[in-house]
Amino acid sequence: MSMQRIIPIMLLIFFIEGTIFYWLLPGNLVSRVVPHFTLAFVLFASLYRGRHTAVLLGLSFGLLQDIVYYGNIIGVHSFSMGLVGYMTGLLLERKRSTLLMALTMILLSTLVYETVVYFVYRVFRLTHQTYEWALMDHIIPSLFLQLGFVLVIYVPARRWFEGTAKKKGEEEEE
Amino acid sequence: MFNWMRNRRMFVLMIIVVLFVAVMGFSIGDRKKLTWPENFVLDASGVVQQWFYKPAGYIAGLFEDLTNLRGIYKENEELRKMAAAYARDKNKYNISEQQNKRLKEDLNFTERQKGLNDYRYLIAQVIAVSNDPYNQTIRINLGSKDGIQPNMVVVTRDGLVGHISRVTPFSSNVMPLTELDDKSPDSKQYAATVLGKESLSFGMVDNFDAETGKLSMSRIAENDPLTKNDVIITSGQGNVFPQGMIIGTVENVQVGDIGLTRTATIKPAADFDHLTEVFVVEVPSMEETAE
């Protein structure tokens, strides 16, 4: 599948995060189970497509989230998503990742992403919770959600991103 | 060659980091006007989010109604009692309002002073809610074209939700009370008082504790009559926020940090979860100063 079709899907997922998914969550889980669905796509891109695609996707979708929910600050999610996408790509883009490998990598990267976001907010003094509390309150519950989401979309997402990578590779050979 | 590539990569990375720090530092704090790309993204996404949020809310509301069906008779009975009480109070209110009006005229109030408490409530639909635990922005579908301005107060039927933080032509972002933080560089503070003891009581609602889910009101004087179960409302002093919006009820009062003042823990009156409709309070004097 080409990028022109993946981006609308990601946009759709992004809008669902703040609207339909929010309604699906029971009231006491809101802001404890945080969806990182667009981040999952960015990480799939970095695993199966390449770090440059991933960094571009991460920067743009992070920026979208920053602006759409502009409260205090712009740039936190953009920075962390781009950074995490790039780092994951740098580590693993050339290797053929299996399901287990991809799962572990995506969960680790999500953890890193949450940590980066937390520390940026901390540096700008917009949050005063301790890291341990943030970990227990929302980071770990969100990881479970991310695990479920990645398991559900693993097969189609891998096909979409690998398909484009292969095509691109062939084009380059020509 | 490889060395040059590495240097270039480091260079690009550093430029990006510096750029981001600059953007974050620039975007933090009060900004009167947003730039056009921000306006465009906010308004365009607002339209799309509206399509999703409302139907989802309706469907979720339907299921909630079905589960609530059992309690409905009891609720109805209570509501009837309340309606009767309101009807009684209305007579009393009408009399005192007329008296108030007459007294204001006797005392030669200016037009501006008379209109000071004529708030207009603009109904707004919620179109999306941020999932980020550090930034729980609520988006509504009224913007500067509908007369919305930054720092207007947003309420539900139960009480105060928050204030408008960012405005674009067709949508605006609401910063809920849960974002209040007395240590943050640009957090707001609400001047507050006790319902029924407006002239005696004063404090600032300035912090929300995410761990307990309670607000705190600081700088209460030592001789303040504030006690447990008092209803806290905005006092309107400071002329930023309107008067008489319910914030919550006092749970306990303890001695503050320095020992000279006291701090109260407040249970918020409004439910911040799964909002569908909110009211934006338009203060007449705010409109005048803006023009």
Side-chain angles (χ1 to χ4, degrees):
Chain A
M1 200 186 268
S2 62
M3 237 37 209
Q4 284 98 312
R5 284 171 72 184
I6 290 174
I7 287 171
I9 290 177
M10 283 180 71
L11 271 176
L12 187 75
I13 297 271
F14 171 75
F15 284 123
I16 284 175
E17 270 183 11
T19 54
I20 294 175
F21 183 80
Y22 172 72
W23 274 101
L24 288 177
L25 275 181
N28 53 352
L29 286 185
V30 171
S31 90
R32 292 206 63 193
V33 180
V34 186
H36 296 299
F37 300 157
T38 43
L39 178 70
F41 274 89
V42 170
L43 294 174
F44 273 119
S46 63
L47 288 177
Y48 296 115
R49 174 80 198 257
R51 60 175 193 273
H52 293 113
T53 320
V55 83
L56 281 181
L57 279 179
L59 285 178
S60 39
F61 274 89
L63 194 63
L64 185 69
Q65 178 168 0
D66 276 325
I67 293 181
V68 167
Y69 301 112
Y70 182 15
N72 277 321
I73 192 167
I74 284 182
V76 182
H77 292 99
S78 183
F79 174 71
S80 359
M81 256 195 215
L83 185 76
V84 167
Y86 188 78
M87 290 298 170
T88 315
L90 207 61
L91 281 176
L92 279 177
E93 88 187 311
R94 293 288 146 77
K95 302 183 180 82
R96 284 192 67 81
S97 312
T98 56
L99 171 66
L100 202 66
M101 186 80 160
L103 268 183
T104 327
M105 230 21 236
I106 286 177
L107 286 188
L108 265 179
S109 304
T110 312
L111 187 68
V112 171
Y113 166 79
E114 295 247 29
T115 312
V116 171
V117 168
Y118 169 80
F119 278 106
V120 173
Y121 274 109
R122 190 72 193 265
V123 162
F124 280 93
R125 307 207 305 158
L126 294 170
T127 182
H128 296 281
Q129 314 298 348
T130 57
Y131 182 66
E132 290 77 26
W133 186 80
L135 205 66
M136 294 314 289
D137 178 64
H138 56 263
I139 297 181
I140 289 172
S142 314
L143 281 182
F144 282 104
L145 176 73
Q146 184 79 331
L147 178 71
F149 181 72
V150 169
L151 276 177
V152 169
I153 66 154
Y154 178 76
V155 174
R158 181 172 181 171
R159 203 166 55 220
W160 297 338
F161 283 107
E162 268 192 335
T164 39
K166 229 174 262 170
K167 248 182 229 159
K168 203 188 164 205
E170 281 162 13
E171 276 162 20
E172 273 169 6
E173 277 164 26
E174 285 165 7
Chain B
M1 180 69 191
F2 185 70
N3 201 11
W4 179 77
M5 280 289 283
R6 252 181 99 119
N7 277 339
R8 197 185 63 160
R9 186 182 291 166
M10 283 304 287
F11 189 65
V12 168
L13 202 73
M14 270 178 64
I15 284 192
I16 287 177
V17 169
V18 170
L19 204 75
F20 267 110
V21 171
V23 166
M24 288 177 201
F26 173 72
S27 66
I28 206 166
D30 264 343
R31 285 170 64 200
K32 280 271 145 28
K33 268 212 165 119
L34 302 182
T35 54
W36 69 263
E38 289 167 304
N39 276 338
F40 174 74
V41 172
L42 277 160
D43 282 338
S45 62
V47 171
V48 182
Q49 284 171 329
Q50 218 163 348
W51 299 337
F52 289 111
Y53 192 87
K54 232 176 154 182
Y58 276 135
I59 293 166
L62 189 71
F63 281 109
E64 215 164 277
D65 286 348
L66 286 177
T67 49
N68 285 347
L69 212 57
R70 212 171 288 170
I72 218 107
Y73 288 110
K74 218 176 158 190
E75 202 185 323
N76 196 12
E77 214 165 278
E78 274 168 27
L79 285 177
R80 268 189 206 165
K81 271 184 207 157
M82 265 170 79
Y86 273 126
R88 277 197 303 276
D89 285 349
K90 183 126 198 291
N91 291 332
K92 229 162 134 188
Y93 170 77
N94 281 344
I95 293 166
S96 32
E97 202 199 0
Q98 271 168 16
Q99 193 185 17
N100 197 354
K101 214 172 164 186
R102 193 167 45 85
L103 289 174
K104 274 183 183 171
E105 261 157 34
D106 288 349
L107 289 169
N108 299 322
F109 268 46
T110 61
E111 280 303 314
R112 197 186 71 84
Q113 283 171 319
K114 271 186 211 162
L116 211 55
N117 291 333
D118 276 346
Y119 300 144
R120 275 213 303 150
Y121 289 81
L122 306 169
I123 190 162
Q125 303 284 341
V126 176
I127 52 175
V129 178
S130 169
N131 282 301
D132 189 351
Y134 311 108
N135 167 31
Q136 298 168 350
T137 301
I138 299 166
R139 305 200 63 208
I140 59 174
N141 69 347
L142 293 185
S144 58
K145 296 268 186 216
D146 308 287
I148 305 290
Q149 282 160 16
N151 288 337
M152 278 182 172
V153 156
V154 176
V155 297
T156 59
R157 266 159 296 182
D158 302 323
L160 187 68
V161 172
H163 71 271
I164 304 271
S165 60
R166 313 283 173 195
V167 180
T168 62
F170 301 103
S171 64
S172 24
N173 287 6
V174 178
M175 190 172 286
L177 287 179
T178 52
E179 291 288 307
L180 287 182
D181 190 340
D182 54 355
K183 296 191 197 80
S184 167
D186 67 330
S187 175
K188 290 277 183 277
Q189 300 183 333
Y190 291 87
T193 182
V194 175
L195 184 69
K197 301 176 204 163
E198 283 89 349
S199 53
L200 300 170
S201 200
F202 179 78
M204 301 295 275
V205 175
D206 58 4
N207 195 29
F208 179 80
D209 189 348
E211 289 177 41
T212 55
K214 301 282 163 20
L215 291 159
S216 70
M217 176 167 160
S218 61
R219 300 185 210 166
I220 305 166
E222 197 64 57
N223 54 356
D224 204 296
L226 182 141
T227 51
K228 206 182 158 190
N229 291 332
D230 275 352
V231 177
I232 300 293
I233 58 173
T234 55
S235 76
Q237 290 177 9
N239 287 332
V240 180
F241 299 121
Q243 182 185 10
M245 305 297 149
I246 295 174
I247 298 175
T249 46
V250 177
E251 291 220 316
N252 60 57
V253 188
Q254 64 272 42
V255 177
D257 294 333
I258 330 167
L260 289 172
T261 57
R262 291 184 298 162
T263 304
T265 312
I266 298 168
K267 186 172 179 288
D271 186 5
F272 301 99
D273 290 328
H274 296 143
L275 295 169
T276 47
E277 281 168 349
V278 292
F279 299 96
V280 184
V281 184
E282 194 180 350
V283 182
S285 61
M286 261 170 94
E287 216 170 22
E288 273 168 22
T289 50
E291 274 164 9

